[in-house]
Amino acid sequence: TGLQVSMHEVALWQTSVSFDVATMNYYMELAGAQTVIVGETQDQDPACISARIAMNKVTTLFFVPSHISLLCASVPALPLS
């Protein structure tokens, strides 16, 4: 069935167009999703990325491995109780 995209999707674009994962950002936008663009100076700041995700109610993310590692490392651990 493929990737289902609606105009209610909000995709975060923080990957340079030179990376292959950016192809999915192009697809999302062409398929009707809203796009939130993270600035070049903000893409290494996990707090900024997290704030943009929350503020814009982002539903879809595509990251290169180094950026997802950076974001995950900044999230506090949840209690196991």
Side-chain angles (χ1 to χ4, degrees), residues 13 23-24 26 33 36-37 39 42-43 49-50 53-55 58 66 69 73 80-81:
W13 189 321
T23 306
M24 291 307 296
Y26 287 120
V36 175
I37 299 173
Q42 302 167 334
D43 70 344
I49 293 171
S50 296
I53 291 169
M55 181 175 51
V58 171
S66 61
S69 295
L80 298 175
S81 58

Side-chain angles (χ1 to χ4, degrees), residues 9-60:
E9 296 287 337
V10 180
L12 183 76
W13 189 321
Q14 63 80 232
T15 304
S16 169
V17 297
S18 64
F19 286 101
D20 58 349
V21 74
T23 306
M24 291 307 296
N25 290 104
Y26 287 120
Y27 173 76
M28 295 293 291
E29 191 168 355
L30 291 171
Q34 299 174 50
T35 302
V36 175
I37 299 173
V38 175
E40 188 176 336
T41 60
Q42 302 167 334
D43 70 344
Q44 295 292 321
D45 181 354
C48 179
I49 293 171
S50 296
R52 297 293 296 266
I53 291 169
M55 181 175 51
N56 294 285
K57 298 180 179 159
V58 171
T59 59
T60 306

